[in-house]
Amino acid sequence: MTIEARFHINRGGFTLDVDLSVPARGVTGLFGPSGCGKTSLLRAIAGLEYHRDGFLKVDDTIWQDAERFVPPHRRSLGYVFQEASLFTHLTVRGNLEYGLRRVPRAERRIPFNNAIELLGIRHLLERRSDTLSGGERQRVAIARALAVSPGLLLMDEPLAALDLASRQGLLPYIESLHDELEIPAIYVSHTLEEIARLADHLILLEAGRVVATGAVNEMLTRLDLPLAHGSGAASIVEAVVVGHDQEYHLTHLDFVGGRFIVPRRAVPTGGHVRLRLAARDVSLTLERQSQTSIQNIFAATVDQVIPEGKAQVMVRLLVADVPILSRITQKSAVELNLKPGKSVYAQVKSVTLLA
Amino acid sequence: MMFSEADLTALVITFKLAVITTITLLLLGTPLAWWLARTHWRFKFMLEAVVALPLVLPPTVLGFYLLIALGPNGPVGGLVEWLGGRPPAFTFAGLVIGSVIYSMPFVVQPLQDAFSTIGRRPLEVAATLRASPLDSFFSVAVPLARPGFLTAAVLGFAHTVGEFGVVLMIGGNIPGATQVVSIAIYDHVEGLEYAHAHWLSGGLMLMSFIMLMVVYALNRRFRVVRP
């Protein structure tokens, strides 16, 4: 189950040169600065743009090679554009049914009602598409793409055209796709936070080239990549809810390296959550502190230390085998004599629950 | 007395001509406008200039060349004659050919504008929703271009009704065959039959007004683009 893509696109001073192989499951984030070729690559994968000498294979189906070019309407894909691009001559229902009617009954794997429920748009069905808010429009566009039961879902910055409130409102819906459906997706974004929330796998694109690919928490903590630097540097930990503390209103979350205790969240026991640990919220000690307000302390091993500007260093730690970032001052690093292999305790001041 | 028999015949011929011309223009103009709106062909401007030529050409110039081409000694007329047909000069068929060419820009330009305004995005969306190019043309492009089709149909129709120079040159003003209302009015005025001219002119004005009102009422977004 892989997606193999080779494209060489040369267009007026811009060159996109990629040779990719990514798993065709879960969400693959396609991340990079604006103008790095993310959208061009996604359009080439969809077949919306034809480029000579391209090669594209999704699972066992060849969509493009030297002899073949399957036109977009014969590819089993769903595409969500940056602007919702609903058909203004149709109602919401008309938009949703447009693709559905063109898919043979036997190939409809996602029941129409599921697509509507997942995106919470049942009350909008009879509305005209130009009377919807930006967030509603994008939800309809996503449901419309799902209604064709695509084998691959392509999303081109579906949140970029929305204001902050609509963006926050739409994210949970997109997250739920990930949990509820088995459709592999490629999600384009230039916002690291979205990638951290949604992606399992990450392709890092820069100036038309693939810089690196890999599992998202590996990629976010690779000190040789730009993702692990700057004020947004953070690591991701997948954890399971093991219980709630009724007395203190806390939730207990376990991962291979230990247990997080966080303010209570309405996630049922057994539920999976993704935690984001900002590098600046992780401090280091050589001995386990006992008299401290910090609840989340983990035994860790220093994996790598590199300077971050003049005053600070970025430390990559391994808690069990989970990579975590810690940003501390150069002075502390010297005083603690941090080097690879050294055992330390990571104190996590705060964590963000992503989903 | 309202209309003489000859006037009624002229009215019928005029509307028959306008209807046939409009339908022909929509059938020919739609694919042409679609192609012009989407092609990246570098010499597209030349074709656009040819389509727009009747806008600037004196109708008599166009009528003169058409008369020569469609007459028995012209290339088209000669070919038709050789095939056993009647050369289209001074016939109703000749009027239709002349009108189609003369009113072409009034149909092609609004359609091309409408198709350009839609842009590529809705068709790309349709393609990702399993619609073939032909399917998406009819299910997305045509409905979205509806205001453009209305404008094109009304302008094509009205412009054909109002034609004078081209139909005079190519049709030869033969009562009962190629005499249209605009020429009949001219004849009445020449013969100082002002009552007849009034009836025909007033009738034409009223009908045009009603036609436009109906179209405006049908489509609030409709705009008549001034050529």
Side-chain angles (χ1 to χ4, degrees):
Chain A
M1 294 274 278
T2 51
I3 301 168
E4 282 173 58
R6 278 197 294 282
F7 287 106
H8 183 85
I9 303 169
N10 209 330
R11 197 166 37 200
F14 173 78
T15 312
L16 180 73
D17 202 354
V18 296
D19 185 347
L20 272 178
S21 178
V22 292
R25 69 185 136 69
V27 175
T28 299
L30 185 52
F31 179 78
S34 297
C36 70
K38 303 186 294 287
T39 297
S40 298
L41 178 56
L42 203 68
R43 290 174 60 82
I45 291 173
L48 292 174
E49 280 171 20
Y50 170 75
H51 299 286
R52 281 184 43 164
D53 304 327
F55 177 83
L56 180 63
K57 192 169 135 195
V58 175
D59 271 355
D60 297 326
T61 316
I62 290 179
W63 280 354
Q64 184 177 350
D65 63 10
E67 285 95 46
R68 265 165 294 191
F69 178 76
V70 180
H73 68 277
R74 298 225 178 87
R75 300 182 180 194
S76 176
L77 59 84
Y79 200 109
V80 180
F81 292 84
Q82 196 166 335
E83 314 81 27
S85 310
L86 298 182
F87 297 131
T88 49
H89 64 295
L90 299 174
T91 60
V92 168
R93 184 190 290 280
N95 270 277
L96 295 171
E97 287 176 349
Y98 186 92
L100 184 73
R101 275 191 282 117
R102 287 165 171 80
V103 175
R105 233 162 249 287
E107 291 168 30
R108 297 182 190 170
R109 284 170 287 110
I110 301 175
F112 187 56
N113 279 324
N114 281 23
I116 294 169
E117 293 302 333
L118 266 174
L119 277 304
I121 52 171
R122 182 168 294 287
H123 62 293
L124 302 174
L125 284 180
E126 308 310 325
R127 292 265 294 275
R128 281 168 50 110
S129 53
D130 50 7
T131 64
L132 306 182
S133 73
E136 289 171 335
R137 236 173 266 174
Q138 201 55 282
R139 268 149 67 195
V140 174
I142 294 171
R144 179 174 68 175
L146 291 176
V148 299
S149 302
L152 175 64
L153 184 61
L154 304 172
M155 291 194 266
D156 186 8
E157 308 211 35
L159 303 179
L162 302 177
D163 57 54
L164 187 66
S166 314
R167 224 178 289 169
Q168 297 301 340
L170 189 55
L171 259 172
Y173 289 107
I174 298 181
E175 276 167 357
S176 70
L177 305 184
H178 181 272
D179 302 335
E180 305 283 328
L181 303 172
E182 295 275 284
I183 303 175
I186 299 180
Y187 186 97
V188 167
S189 180
H190 67 274
T191 314
L192 199 53
E193 197 207 324
E194 280 173 36
I195 295 287
R197 282 184 74 152
L198 298 170
D200 306 307
H201 200 84
L202 183 56
I203 302 168
L204 180 60
L205 207 60
E206 219 173 81
R209 283 176 186 280
V210 176
V211 179
T213 65
V216 72
N217 62 339
E218 277 296 327
M219 295 280 286
L220 290 178
T221 57
R222 266 178 62 175
L223 296 186
D224 59 330
L225 299 178
L227 305 174
H229 299 283
S231 59
S235 43
I236 283 174
V237 174
E238 307 275 355
V240 181
V241 178
V242 288
H244 300 282
D245 179 334
Q246 306 293 351
E247 191 186 350
Y248 291 111
H249 300 281
L250 299 170
T251 295
H252 293 179
L253 304 160
D254 276 11
F255 76 114
V256 287
R259 170 171 298 179
F260 281 96
I261 300 172
V262 300
R264 183 164 184 163
R265 296 297 284 267
V267 184
T269 302
H272 288 258
V273 293
R274 187 178 270 201
L275 305 171
R276 183 171 178 273
L277 282 57
R280 60 164 182 270
D281 289 336
V282 179
S283 58
L284 302 177
T285 59
L286 291 184
E287 283 163 26
R288 184 184 273 275
Q289 302 289 305
S290 51
Q291 294 187 319
T292 168
S293 66
I294 292 176
Q295 291 283 340
N296 299 313
I297 301 177
F298 305 101
T301 313
V302 175
D303 180 51
Q304 236 181 322
V305 184
I306 66 165
E308 176 87 349
K310 285 204 172 109
Q312 296 176 309
V313 295
M314 190 63 80
V315 185
R316 186 182 197 264
L317 306 162
L318 290 173
V319 177
D321 61 345
V322 180
I324 284 175
L325 293 179
S326 166
R327 195 183 68 188
I328 57 173
T329 59
Q330 179 90 48
K331 183 168 182 284
S332 307
V334 171
E335 285 172 7
L336 296 179
N337 190 24
L338 294 185
K339 28 169 122 49
K342 191 166 178 102
S343 293
V344 293
Y345 289 92
Q347 305 192 129
V348 183
K349 187 154 178 284
S350 77
V351 298
T352 315
L353 252 73
L354 294 180
Chain B
M1 178 225 56
M2 282 169 58
F3 300 115
S4 69
E5 202 165 305
D7 287 348
L8 283 175
T9 312
L11 271 170
V12 170
I13 289 173
T14 302
F15 282 96
K16 202 170 100 182
L17 176 65
V19 168
I20 292 174
T21 300
T22 307
I23 292 171
T24 310
L25 273 175
L26 287 176
L27 291 177
L28 294 178
T30 302
L32 177 60
W34 177 249
W35 183 78
L36 284 173
R38 314 228 339 142
T39 184
H40 293 299
W41 186 46
R42 54 192 294 214
F43 295 113
K44 161 180 138 169
F45 66 92
M46 295 203 315
L47 196 63
E48 286 178 310
V50 170
V51 170
L53 211 50
L55 288 175
V56 293
L57 222 49
T60 42
V61 172
L62 193 66
F64 172 64
Y65 282 126
L66 281 171
L67 183 62
I68 288 179
L70 301 181
N73 299 320
V76 180
L79 182 70
V80 172
E81 195 162 49
W82 183 74
L83 289 171
R86 188 182 155 195
F90 306 120
T91 68
F92 185 75
L95 286 192
V96 172
I97 295 171
S99 302
V100 163
I101 293 171
Y102 188 47
S103 295
M104 185 77 84
F106 295 85
V107 169
V108 171
Q109 285 184 353
L111 287 179
Q112 189 184 338
D113 285 349
F115 289 141
S116 300
T117 308
I118 294 171
R120 281 170 188 273
R121 180 52 56 80
L123 297 148
E124 290 183 346
V125 172
T128 67
L129 294 171
R130 309 284 185 280
S132 69
L134 191 69
D135 179 354
S136 64
F137 173 76
F138 285 109
S139 61
V140 174
V142 170
L144 285 178
R146 195 177 76 135
F149 274 98
L150 266 167
T151 307
V154 169
L155 287 183
F157 189 91
H159 192 247
T160 305
V161 170
E163 226 171 279
F164 186 86
V166 174
V167 286
L168 184 62
M169 294 291 276
I170 198 168
N173 192 16
I174 303 165
T178 61
Q179 189 185 59
V180 294
V181 174
S182 57
I183 302 173
I185 293 170
Y186 180 76
D187 279 354
H188 286 315
V189 175
E190 282 281 272
L192 298 177
E193 301 157 339
Y194 276 30
H196 287 280
H198 265 305
W199 275 109
L200 275 183
S201 303
L204 217 54
M205 194 145 97
L206 188 69
M207 271 182 279
S208 304
F209 181 60
I210 291 172
M211 191 173 76
L212 284 178
M213 270 205 310
V214 168
V215 169
Y216 274 111
L218 280 178
N219 195 340
R220 295 286 168 82
R221 287 179 296 172
F222 171 78
R223 294 165 295 144
V224 173
V225 188
R226 291 273 154 246

